[in-house]
Amino acid sequence: VGFIDEPGGVPEDDRLRARARQLAPLVGVDQMDTWIVQFREALEQPQIRETLAREGAQELWQERAFALRADGQLLQGRFDRVTIWNDRAVLVDFKTDAAGPVTADHYRPQVDSYRRALCSLLQLPVEAIEARLIFVATGDVLNMSPSTE
């Protein structure tokens, strides 16, 4: 998904199906179609629309892999989406499960690791990196504040 408020920002169904086949080759067409409907419904949620809009951003990273050393640790992974301004960034991770009461704790290690990687790559302080989990099945958005540890 590109910037939702620009032409071509949301892929057509055929492109979504092709991507779903890559990620889940054993899943049937009916399930893929259900996911696409859920995805399109999620895109109508105001908080999701706001998260995926350009809003003056200079750059957008999508499915960008990274591997680097930060604070003596190897950090590696793949950002689903990072929207970048001069002085801040928004990290978005798409989730296919439903948001629940343990969700923040469950995803905290991954989000903290990705946030640290972005701080290093973009030369920004931790406070300048917002992190949001988007739960496609429910349309929920969970804002993840920086860890206090």
Side-chain angles (χ1 to χ4, degrees):
V1 177
F3 290 117
I4 198 168
D5 52 346
E6 294 185 352
V10 179
E12 298 296 325
D13 287 357
D14 290 344
R15 190 162 161 223
L16 292 172
R17 264 188 216 90
R19 183 66 178 141
R21 269 189 224 99
Q22 288 175 337
L23 296 173
L26 302 178
V27 172
V29 173
D30 290 343
Q31 180 61 54
M32 285 185 197
D33 287 344
T34 298
W35 288 343
I36 290 170
V37 168
Q38 289 173 335
F39 172 75
R40 297 230 177 263
E41 288 172 353
L43 292 181
E44 296 304 317
Q45 301 298 319
Q47 195 172 9
I48 292 177
R49 292 192 71 73
E50 176 188 330
T51 298
L52 302 180
R54 177 178 283 276
E55 295 187 357
Q58 281 80 37
E59 194 172 350
L60 176 65
W61 295 351
Q62 297 174 279
E63 296 190 31
R64 180 174 280 198
F66 67 90
L68 61 108
R69 284 211 175 276
D71 303 324
Q73 289 186 318
L74 176 64
L75 302 176
Q76 60 184 3
R78 180 176 299 273
F79 302 119
D80 285 348
R81 179 187 179 95
V82 180
T83 306
I84 304 166
W85 291 262
N86 289 333
D87 60 348
R88 68 185 179 101
V90 175
L91 163 67
V92 174
D93 201 52
F94 295 99
K95 301 297 181 190
T96 55
D97 51 343
V102 297
T103 303
D105 289 338
H106 178 74
Y107 290 112
R108 173 74 55 203
Q110 177 194 9
V111 171
D112 285 350
S113 175
Y114 283 22
R115 184 181 270 122
R116 286 179 42 223
L118 277 174
C119 287
S120 181
L121 291 168
L122 299 175
Q123 297 298 296
L124 290 172
V126 70
E127 306 81 33
I129 309 290
E130 293 179 47
R132 300 177 187 161
L133 302 180
I134 294 181
F135 294 88
V136 178
T138 62
D140 293 323
V141 177
L142 180 62
N143 292 311
M144 300 283 291
S145 56
S147 185
T148 56
E149 297 177 12

